[in-house]
Amino acid sequence: YGEIKLKIKYSNYSVLNKCRVKYKTCLLTNGVLKAQKNKIKSLGIEDLFDSIFYARSNGIENEKPSSKSFQMICDYFKCKPSEVIFVGDHPINDIQGAKRFGMTTVWTSEFTTHRDIPSEADYHIRDLSEIKHILGIK
């Protein structure tokens, strides 16, 4: 599925739903708008997030790791970058971009072929369920 590498397992649905009880959640993805929308619909994950952002909607030059893509999140939720925990699987587009923008970063190796842990990442998880420990969710 290209940019969206979410191999959603049933347990991930549960984790995301638990996160939504305490936190706002969103998905930020790069790629051709129509293709990304079709992928999200095919995966059936629209209802797992409070909002879904398509970075390319502001032009290809504004995709991750551009700060403009991360700014969309802060503008929508009316928050500061320091109030966002960004979970990603790409060392440059996700981790480096979010970190440079001032967000706390969590690198997950669950959905990626990149195996070197980005040094910029504040946290590393192997499975999305581990995010509960970082967020203090049972």
Side-chain angles (χ1 to χ4, degrees), residues 28-46:
L28 172 63
T29 185
N30 283 353
V32 175
L33 198 56
K34 186 175 181 178
Q36 295 306 92
K37 286 183 177 186
N38 286 337
K39 290 173 190 176
I40 288 168
K41 185 176 181 181
S42 295
L43 289 168
I45 60 173
E46 307 99 314

